[in-house]
């Protein structure tokens, strides 16, 4: 009983500390110019996603067929107020070596198009995944002069790219894709169809996201 109580108490302290850090971060960044921020994230897509809602005749159960081992593709993506960047797809597990390759192939390719050829500075946004903070990736970013935005832990609601993943999964919902190639093609097609205006709206939402975190005293928001 004592161990269980201590575990719950520790969890409460950790949550409180996380909430306080989120609040401090939101206050610090609410007035930031977000146009030079490159938002990034990783996400996984499955080859068959069932429809979550459907009409059914009363008292007649609605049955959906499930796929036990659906194919899966992982993606890394980035975007900025100027549009959506190079999308990196992979099926193996993501580690520090793979992350470094993605930085080189996806991040730099995108930022060279958006900023570097104009001689403009930019800042990288990414989560606190251990792979991002690994020695290999940290040294690579330092060697390439990449500045990383301080980001609060447990804050997917603050990252607008989560809305992009949700939209893409919605577009894939109900489609039965039986190969990695077909799933990858669909993912690329949806990504390429995303308009610059959508990226602009997402970036413009950042002050409101910060304001929502402040209004909730650092707690979770509806974003």
């Amino acid at each position: 009983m004592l161990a269980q109580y201590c575990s719950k108490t520790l969890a409460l302290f950790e949550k409180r500390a996380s909430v306080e850090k989120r609040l401090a971060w939101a206050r610090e960044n609410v007035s930031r110019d977000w146009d030079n921020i490159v938002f990034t994230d990783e996400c996984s897509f499955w080859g068959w996603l069932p429809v979550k809602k459907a009409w059914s005749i009363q008292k007649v159960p609605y049955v959906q067929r499930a796929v036990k081992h659906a194919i899966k593709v992982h993606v890394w993506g980035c975007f900025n107020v100027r549009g959506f960047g190079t999308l990196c797809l992979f099926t193996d597990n993501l580690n520090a070596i793979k992350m470094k390759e993605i930085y080189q192939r996806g991040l730099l390719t995108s930022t060279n198009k958006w900023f570097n050829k104009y001689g403009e500075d930019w800042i990288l946004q990414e989560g606190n995944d251990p792979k991002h903070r690994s020695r290999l990736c940290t040294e690579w970013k330092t060697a390439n002069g990449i500045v990383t935005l301080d980001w609060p832990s447990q804050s997917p609601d603050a990252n607008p790219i989560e809305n992009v993943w949700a939209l893409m999964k919605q577009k894939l919902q109900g489609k039965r894709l039986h190969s990695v190639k077909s799933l990858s093609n669909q993912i690329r097609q949806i990504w390429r169809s995303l308009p610059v205006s959508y990226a602009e709206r997402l970036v413009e939402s950042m002050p409101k996201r910060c304001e929502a975190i402040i209004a909730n005293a650092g707690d979770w928001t509806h974003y």
Side-chain angles (χ1 to χ4, degrees):
M1 288 294 292
L2 179 60
Q4 186 178 10
Y5 173 77
C6 291
S7 177
K8 289 182 178 179
T9 303
L10 178 61
L12 288 173
F13 275 120
E14 290 176 347
K15 180 181 178 181
R16 187 62 225 169
S18 176
V19 167
E20 289 176 355
K21 288 180 181 179
R22 277 168 51 90
L23 179 58
W25 175 87
R27 286 172 172 167
E28 181 181 351
N29 289 278
V30 66
S31 299
R32 171 186 287 275
D33 179 8
W34 294 93
D35 288 357
N36 69 334
I37 305 297
V38 177
F39 297 91
T40 70
D41 193 26
E42 301 89 39
C43 187
S44 298
F45 291 85
W46 282 263
W48 186 79
L49 292 174
V51 178
K52 293 183 179 179
K53 294 181 180 181
W55 290 103
S56 178
I57 300 174
Q58 190 175 7
K59 296 183 180 180
V60 177
Y62 176 70
V63 179
Q64 290 196 76
R65 181 173 295 179
V67 178
K68 188 173 183 180
H69 301 291
I71 57 170
K72 181 169 64 173
V73 171
H74 308 294
V75 304
W76 175 95
C78 66
F79 81 91
N80 174 262
V81 71
R82 298 176 180 178
F84 293 88
T86 300
L87 190 70
C88 297
L89 287 75
F90 53 99
T91 55
D92 49 339
N93 292 330
L94 183 60
N95 54 27
I97 296 174
K98 186 75 174 179
M99 194 70 245
K100 177 185 171 183
E101 294 175 358
I102 289 175
Y103 286 147
Q104 185 74 43
R105 181 163 52 97
L107 180 62
L108 291 190
T109 300
S110 302
T111 55
N112 284 338
K113 177 178 64 175
W114 292 329
F115 301 101
N116 291 5
K117 69 177 182 179
Y118 301 110
E120 298 177 358
D121 295 328
W122 56 275
I123 299 174
L124 170 65
Q125 179 281 324
E126 60 183 359
N128 295 298
D129 190 290
K131 292 178 284 294
H132 302 155
R133 309 300 179 190
S134 66
R135 181 177 178 180
L136 178 66
C137 290
T138 300
E139 290 179 349
W140 184 90
K141 284 181 281 190
T142 300
N144 285 272
I146 296 175
V147 177
T148 303
L149 177 67
D150 181 45
W151 196 256
S153 60
Q154 302 178 19
S155 299
D157 56 327
N159 192 350
I161 203 171
E162 294 290 348
N163 297 76
V164 180
W165 301 143
L167 175 63
M168 293 177 68
K169 288 182 177 181
Q170 182 181 359
K171 290 180 178 293
L172 284 170
Q173 203 168 53
K175 293 186 178 182
R176 299 185 181 185
L177 304 169
H178 302 289
S179 69
V180 170
K181 182 178 180 179
S182 61
L183 175 57
S184 299
N185 288 339
Q186 283 291 317
I187 293 171
R188 288 192 182 96
Q189 182 178 340
I190 295 172
W191 180 262
R192 290 168 184 163
S193 71
L194 299 173
V196 175
S197 58
Y198 181 43
E200 292 173 346
R201 291 197 303 273
L202 290 172
V203 174
E204 289 171 358
S205 73
M206 286 307 300
K208 293 181 180 179
R209 292 172 190 265
C210 292
E211 290 169 0
I213 293 174
I214 295 170
N216 282 11
D219 214 336
W220 186 262
T221 71
H222 71 279
Y223 283 99

